[in-house]
Amino acid sequence: MEVLWRAVSEAEPGPKWAGLFQGLWPAYHRWWLRKGEHARATYWESIKALKQYMPELVPLHEQLSDLAGGSDHAARFLSFYCPPPYLSGCSQGIWPGAKPVLVRNYDYDARAFDSILLHTAWQGRKVMGTSDGMWGLVDGMNDAGLAVSLTFGGRQIVGDGFGVPLILRYVLQTCETTAEAEKVLVRVPTHMSYNVTVVDKRRRYLTAYMAPDRPTEITHAAVATNHQSRVEWSAHARMTATVERERFLLQRLTLHVEPEEKFIGAFLKPPLYSTAFDRGFGTLFTAVYRPSKGEMELRWPKAVWPFHIDNFVEDMRVIHTPDVVRRKGA
């Protein structure tokens, strides 16, 4: 199957973003409504939460909602407040060498994925990263040299909070260092459990274990898969091999420091690289972030696509995936 990836740059919210929304909204709208409108937070609940926890994003939310047509449903969806639950796989790790390098695999269902690398300069801050929900991010980096990435935390509990891709957007819009990001990750509530790894250009890093029902735990872990301090959802852990992947990454960190390219290459092969596309946990891409250089790459077993935050080139690429993968909305 051929999956079309797009690299899109737009300094301020405008016609390009509106076009992306128009194309992706029907599928997202069906997903958002799958348990009915009343299962979702109201407009006023969503705006109140945004103003309380991420006030800097309120003007952006208003701009994007207007570009999306100004409907009640679009505005509520774009708040990312109390969305439907969603699960992913994913592995991420920080190269143990001298330079800060964050590498991650995103294991998810291609039918529910934007396939967009989005470059923006909203509110004067350059950010590039892998889009989710048209302005949230599953990983990304800003022009201050801060990089972030998420993995699912392996717990079934759902609570009141934000979808974590918007929390990553907020971190990159407002923070410049790992210490600043830590304060955000401790303060802003998430609706499900996620592990967020952060590294800045001085190679200061952390992994935050976020959850809706307990305080965020800040760790100095350099790797994250799909559980937190311990396995709490055994069936999901077995299906995604989270313990085996974590052990594999930790072993690489405890040995001598291997070359950067060898460390990255390990993410493109089992056990980190997943071929479980038919179960919605295939590796859709590998991302490599070098925050001290302003560089990142998207990688697949047979392709590399480089980007620079100050010299971002728009383009499209067709990536071949197993036949069982279908495009979103197909």
Side-chain angles (χ1 to χ4, degrees):
M1 188 71 185
E2 294 180 345
V3 177
L4 177 65
W5 274 79
R6 291 171 285 177
V8 178
S9 180
E10 189 172 47
E12 295 295 332
K16 290 182 183 178
W17 186 89
L20 295 177
F21 182 88
Q22 183 178 13
L24 294 172
W25 176 234
Y28 270 119
H29 198 196
R30 289 193 298 271
W31 169 75
W32 188 78
L33 286 174
R34 65 183 184 178
K35 290 195 175 181
E37 176 183 358
H38 298 293
R40 308 275 62 83
T42 67
Y43 173 80
W44 292 113
E45 289 169 339
S46 303
I47 295 304
K48 180 181 177 181
L50 268 180
K51 288 180 177 179
Q52 178 178 354
Y53 293 107
M54 296 186 277
E56 298 90 338
L57 293 190
V58 171
L60 275 173
H61 176 264
E62 291 175 350
Q63 283 181 278
L64 296 175
S65 296
D66 287 344
L67 286 169
S71 75
D72 173 72
H73 283 192
R76 290 158 66 185
F77 168 83
L78 290 169
S79 76
F80 275 73
Y81 188 62
C82 296
Y86 40 81
L87 310 179
S88 63
C90 310
S91 307
Q92 58 200 25
I94 297 172
W95 179 55
K99 298 292 184 180
V101 181
L102 173 63
V103 188
R104 67 98 92 259
N105 278 3
Y106 189 64
D107 304 344
Y108 198 53
D109 189 341
R111 295 167 295 181
F113 180 56
D114 292 2
S115 301
I116 294 169
L117 189 75
L118 187 61
H119 177 268
T120 58
W122 298 342
Q123 300 177 322
R125 168 72 73 198
K126 289 183 182 177
V127 173
M128 65 178 176
T130 313
S131 169
D132 184 80
M134 283 89 83
W135 73 306
L137 299 166
V138 297
D139 51 68
M141 180 174 68
N142 67 18
D143 56 8
L146 186 69
V148 295
S149 180
L150 66 87
T151 72
F152 175 59
R155 303 177 71 236
Q156 294 176 279
I157 296 171
V158 180
D160 291 339
F162 294 92
V164 74
L166 188 64
I167 300 175
L168 264 61
R169 164 65 70 177
Y170 182 54
V171 166
L172 293 178
Q173 289 292 143
T174 63
C175 301
E176 296 189 354
T177 66
T178 296
E180 291 174 0
E182 177 180 345
K183 293 178 182 179
V184 169
L185 297 173
V186 168
R187 178 177 59 82
V188 178
T190 176
H191 86 304
M192 293 189 72
S193 296
Y194 285 93
N195 309 324
V196 178
T197 297
V198 183
V199 62
D200 62 25
K201 63 183 179 182
R202 295 180 61 184
R203 207 179 175 278
R204 297 170 297 197
Y205 66 88
L206 61 81
T207 293
Y209 295 152
M210 304 183 73
D213 60 331
R214 61 194 185 197
T216 294
E217 179 184 354
I218 302 297
T219 78
H220 197 60
V223 305
T225 52
N226 301 124
H227 59 283
Q228 299 190 330
S229 298
R230 58 187 175 86
V231 171
E232 298 177 68
W233 186 3
S234 298
H236 185 271
R238 287 193 300 270
M239 182 174 64
T240 61
T242 178
V243 173
E244 293 81 359
R245 286 182 287 117
E246 180 190 52
R247 185 179 298 126
F248 177 81
L249 277 170
L250 289 173
Q251 287 174 345
R252 303 193 82 85
L253 298 186
T254 55
L255 301 174
H256 65 279
V257 178
E258 60 187 355
E260 177 186 330
E261 193 62 30
K262 186 174 182 181
F263 181 77
I264 296 169
F267 282 78
L268 295 162
K269 296 177 289 188
L272 299 183
Y273 185 87
S274 171
T275 58
F277 294 96
D278 57 337
R279 289 179 286 150
F281 291 100
T283 299
L284 301 184
F285 67 91
T286 299
V288 181
Y289 287 93
R290 300 183 181 89
S292 63
K293 297 181 177 181
E295 299 174 350
M296 68 90 63
E297 296 167 353
L298 292 174
R299 293 197 180 199
W300 299 269
K302 296 183 180 180
V304 178
W305 197 1
F307 298 92
H308 195 285
I309 198 161
D310 293 323
N311 187 27
F312 189 94
V313 179
E314 292 187 304
D315 201 355
M316 294 187 292
R317 297 279 177 96
V318 175
I319 301 300
H320 296 270
T321 61
D323 290 341
V324 293
V325 174
R326 294 184 292 128
R327 292 293 296 128
K328 182 172 185 169

Short mmCIF file of all heavy atoms in Angstrom, two decimals, residues 226-227 231-245:
data_model
loop_
_atom_site.label_atom_id
_atom_site.label_comp_id
_atom_site.label_asym_id
_atom_site.label_seq_id
_atom_site.Cartn_x
_atom_site.Cartn_y
_atom_site.Cartn_z
N ASN A 226 5.96 1.17 26.42
CA ASN A 226 4.52 1.30 26.66
C ASN A 226 4.08 0.82 28.03
O ASN A 226 3.03 0.20 28.18
CB ASN A 226 3.74 0.60 25.56
CG ASN A 226 4.06 1.19 24.20
OD1 ASN A 226 4.46 0.48 23.30
ND2 ASN A 226 3.93 2.50 24.07
N HIS A 227 4.88 1.13 29.02
CA HIS A 227 4.47 1.00 30.41
C HIS A 227 5.22 2.07 31.19
O HIS A 227 6.09 2.75 30.64
CB HIS A 227 4.78 -0.40 30.96
CG HIS A 227 6.23 -0.78 30.92
ND1 HIS A 227 6.87 -1.19 29.76
CD2 HIS A 227 7.19 -0.78 31.89
CE1 HIS A 227 8.13 -1.46 30.02
NE2 HIS A 227 8.36 -1.22 31.30
N VAL A 231 4.47 -2.73 34.70
CA VAL A 231 3.39 -3.12 33.79
C VAL A 231 2.08 -3.16 34.54
O VAL A 231 1.96 -3.81 35.59
CB VAL A 231 3.70 -4.49 33.16
CG1 VAL A 231 2.48 -5.01 32.39
CG2 VAL A 231 4.91 -4.39 32.23
N GLU A 232 1.06 -2.47 34.04
CA GLU A 232 -0.25 -2.43 34.68
C GLU A 232 -1.36 -2.96 33.78
O GLU A 232 -2.50 -3.08 34.23
CB GLU A 232 -0.57 -1.00 35.12
CG GLU A 232 0.41 -0.47 36.15
CD GLU A 232 0.15 0.97 36.54
OE1 GLU A 232 -0.89 1.23 37.18
OE2 GLU A 232 0.97 1.84 36.18
N TRP A 233 -1.07 -3.23 32.54
CA TRP A 233 -2.05 -3.80 31.60
C TRP A 233 -1.34 -4.93 30.87
O TRP A 233 -0.71 -4.74 29.85
CB TRP A 233 -2.54 -2.73 30.64
CG TRP A 233 -3.65 -3.16 29.72
CD1 TRP A 233 -4.29 -4.36 29.69
CD2 TRP A 233 -4.23 -2.37 28.68
NE1 TRP A 233 -5.24 -4.38 28.71
CE2 TRP A 233 -5.23 -3.16 28.08
CE3 TRP A 233 -4.02 -1.08 28.22
CZ2 TRP A 233 -5.99 -2.70 27.01
CZ3 TRP A 233 -4.77 -0.61 27.16
CH2 TRP A 233 -5.76 -1.43 26.56
N SER A 234 -1.46 -6.12 31.44
CA SER A 234 -0.65 -7.26 30.98
C SER A 234 -0.92 -7.63 29.53
O SER A 234 0.00 -7.94 28.77
CB SER A 234 -0.88 -8.47 31.89
OG SER A 234 -0.47 -8.18 33.20
N ALA A 235 -2.20 -7.63 29.14
CA ALA A 235 -2.55 -8.03 27.77
C ALA A 235 -1.91 -7.09 26.75
O ALA A 235 -1.37 -7.52 25.73
CB ALA A 235 -4.06 -8.07 27.60
N HIS A 236 -1.99 -5.78 27.00
CA HIS A 236 -1.39 -4.81 26.09
C HIS A 236 0.13 -4.96 26.08
O HIS A 236 0.78 -4.86 25.02
CB HIS A 236 -1.79 -3.39 26.50
CG HIS A 236 -1.31 -2.33 25.56
ND1 HIS A 236 -0.07 -1.73 25.71
CD2 HIS A 236 -1.88 -1.76 24.47
CE1 HIS A 236 0.08 -0.82 24.74
NE2 HIS A 236 -0.99 -0.84 23.98
N ALA A 237 0.71 -5.21 27.25
CA ALA A 237 2.16 -5.38 27.34
C ALA A 237 2.64 -6.57 26.52
O ALA A 237 3.66 -6.49 25.83
CB ALA A 237 2.57 -5.55 28.81
N ARG A 238 1.87 -7.67 26.59
CA ARG A 238 2.25 -8.85 25.80
C ARG A 238 2.11 -8.58 24.31
O ARG A 238 2.98 -8.95 23.50
CB ARG A 238 1.40 -10.05 26.20
CG ARG A 238 1.75 -10.64 27.56
CD ARG A 238 1.07 -12.00 27.75
NE ARG A 238 -0.38 -11.90 27.66
CZ ARG A 238 -1.18 -11.67 28.71
NH1 ARG A 238 -0.66 -11.50 29.91
NH2 ARG A 238 -2.49 -11.61 28.56
N MET A 239 1.00 -7.93 23.92
CA MET A 239 0.74 -7.68 22.51
C MET A 239 1.78 -6.76 21.89
O MET A 239 2.18 -6.95 20.73
CB MET A 239 -0.66 -7.08 22.35
CG MET A 239 -1.05 -6.82 20.90
SD MET A 239 -2.77 -6.27 20.74
CE MET A 239 -2.71 -4.69 21.60
N THR A 240 2.24 -5.78 22.65
CA THR A 240 3.19 -4.81 22.10
C THR A 240 4.63 -5.09 22.46
O THR A 240 5.53 -4.37 22.01
CB THR A 240 2.83 -3.39 22.60
OG1 THR A 240 2.92 -3.35 24.04
CG2 THR A 240 1.43 -3.00 22.17
N ALA A 241 4.87 -6.13 23.27
CA ALA A 241 6.23 -6.49 23.70
C ALA A 241 6.95 -5.30 24.34
O ALA A 241 8.14 -5.08 24.12
CB ALA A 241 7.04 -7.03 22.52
N THR A 242 6.24 -4.56 25.17
CA THR A 242 6.81 -3.35 25.75
C THR A 242 8.01 -3.63 26.64
O THR A 242 9.01 -2.90 26.61
CB THR A 242 5.75 -2.55 26.53
OG1 THR A 242 6.37 -1.40 27.10
CG2 THR A 242 5.09 -3.36 27.62
N VAL A 243 7.94 -4.69 27.44
CA VAL A 243 9.05 -5.01 28.34
C VAL A 243 10.27 -5.43 27.54
O VAL A 243 11.41 -5.01 27.82
CB VAL A 243 8.65 -6.11 29.33
CG1 VAL A 243 9.85 -6.55 30.16
CG2 VAL A 243 7.53 -5.61 30.24
N GLU A 244 10.07 -6.24 26.52
CA GLU A 244 11.19 -6.69 25.69
C GLU A 244 11.85 -5.53 24.97
O GLU A 244 13.08 -5.45 24.87
CB GLU A 244 10.70 -7.73 24.68
CG GLU A 244 10.23 -9.05 25.29
CD GLU A 244 8.81 -9.00 25.85
OE1 GLU A 244 8.17 -7.92 25.80
OE2 GLU A 244 8.35 -10.03 26.37
N ARG A 245 11.05 -4.59 24.47
CA ARG A 245 11.61 -3.43 23.78
C ARG A 245 12.38 -2.53 24.74
O ARG A 245 13.46 -2.03 24.42
CB ARG A 245 10.51 -2.66 23.06
CG ARG A 245 10.00 -3.37 21.82
CD ARG A 245 8.94 -2.56 21.09
NE ARG A 245 7.65 -2.55 21.78
CZ ARG A 245 7.05 -1.47 22.27
NH1 ARG A 245 7.63 -0.29 22.16
NH2 ARG A 245 5.87 -1.55 22.86
#
